Amino acid sequence: MKSVEFGTYIKIHREGKGIPQRIVAHALNVDTSTLSKMELGERQILITMVKPLAEILDHDFKDLQIRYISEKIKADFNEQPFLKEALQMVIDNI
Amino acid sequence: MKSVEFGTYIKIHREGKGIPQRIVAHALNVDTSTLSKMELGERQILITMVKPLAEILDHDFKDLQIRYISEKIKADFNEQPFLKEALQMVIDNI
DNA sequence: TGTTGTTTAGACAATTCTGTCAAATGTAAT
DNA sequence: ATTACATTTGACAGAATTGTCTAAACAACA
């Protein structure tokens, strides 16, 4: 999986479908200004927005959620020596 | 692994060793008031504090870091349908 | 060039979160 | 009961983050 920032990924796919920010922003109940910032990484994209994003962009929800979560985890815990063990522990407890 | 909240876990082990908050707070460069709140879950414990906590409590760092990270992930992403796959993806990319 | 629609930038108020201070409460021993 | 120390609480100011508004920058094209 290519590691492009989530906001950038959304932007690329939105543009690929020729959908203006106006439409996506409305689906997320935010301003186009906010969406612009989210795409540029200046505002957080909430996990609750992943589903509506998948729908409006007609994109696989599973893929999008995996991208979202894995990026957050890398951002928060990269470099932590026992990250792998911690993740394995969570997996084993699901 | 028993799932007791991280702050509570710290508190229990601090008390078990008979170390006052004053000492631990100093090691973390915070007030006892802040440490109290951290132990009670009213303030975030930063990941950068896990190492000094392990040292001052003479507690296994690996265990503590695993507890810290896995708790955060559960708090942030519990219930997400593809959490497992996302975690596996991060593991595979480490 | 002027028009129309899209995207971004800057300023802002509202909200949330943080650590500290001072005071209150709790605990144990004498 | 008093002392000494530990812990918690509530109020607070400072910092950080949020979404919106307005206007500027950008793009496509008649």
Side-chain angles (χ1 to χ4, degrees):
Chain A
M1 184 180 285
K2 201 168 32 132
S3 182
V4 50
E5 218 228 309
F6 190 78
T8 306
Y9 187 81
I10 293 300
K11 184 179 175 64
I12 288 170
H13 284 261
R14 177 182 58 75
E15 288 172 344
K17 299 232 165 202
I19 307 171
Q21 287 181 343
R22 179 172 45 85
I23 304 293
V24 176
H26 179 260
L28 301 180
N29 291 305
V30 295
D31 208 66
T32 60
S33 172
T34 300
L35 178 58
S36 170
K37 282 164 185 159
M38 292 194 299
E39 287 182 349
L40 299 173
E42 293 162 15
R43 291 290 186 279
Q44 290 261 0
I45 298 175
L46 305 180
I47 192 162
T48 54
M49 293 173 170
V50 175
K51 183 79 157 184
L53 279 171
E55 283 163 2
I56 204 90
L57 299 180
D58 190 32
H59 191 291
D60 185 46
F61 171 52
K62 177 176 180 177
D63 172 73
L64 223 49
Q65 179 170 102
I66 291 174
R67 282 177 187 277
Y68 181 92
I69 294 177
S70 63
E71 173 174 311
K72 288 264 182 211
I73 290 175
K74 281 182 210 156
D76 288 348
F77 303 121
N78 221 3
E79 313 275 317
Q80 298 302 331
F82 304 110
L83 173 56
K84 194 172 169 177
E85 289 85 346
L87 299 183
Q88 194 59 56
M89 160 129 290
V90 178
I91 288 176
D92 294 343
N93 278 276
I94 285 177
Chain B
M1 182 180 284
K2 204 170 29 139
S3 183
V4 52
E5 221 228 309
F6 190 78
T8 306
Y9 187 82
I10 293 301
K11 183 176 175 66
I12 288 170
H13 284 261
R14 177 182 59 76
E15 288 171 346
K17 299 230 164 205
I19 307 171
Q21 287 181 342
R22 178 173 45 85
I23 305 293
V24 176
H26 179 260
L28 301 180
N29 290 304
V30 294
D31 209 68
T32 61
S33 171
T34 300
L35 177 59
S36 170
K37 284 165 184 163
M38 293 193 300
E39 288 183 349
L40 299 173
E42 293 163 15
R43 291 293 186 277
Q44 290 263 356
I45 298 175
L46 305 180
I47 193 162
T48 53
M49 293 173 169
V50 174
K51 183 79 158 184
L53 279 171
E55 284 164 1
I56 204 91
L57 299 180
D58 190 34
H59 191 292
D60 184 47
F61 171 53
K62 178 176 178 178
D63 173 73
L64 223 50
Q65 177 168 104
I66 290 173
R67 283 177 186 279
Y68 181 92
I69 294 177
S70 62
E71 174 174 314
K72 287 266 183 208
I73 289 175
K74 281 181 209 155
D76 288 350
F77 304 120
N78 222 2
E79 312 277 317
Q80 298 302 331
F82 304 110
L83 174 56
K84 194 172 168 176
E85 289 85 345
L87 300 182
Q88 195 58 56
M89 160 130 289
V90 178
I91 288 176
D92 295 342
N93 278 273
I94 286 176

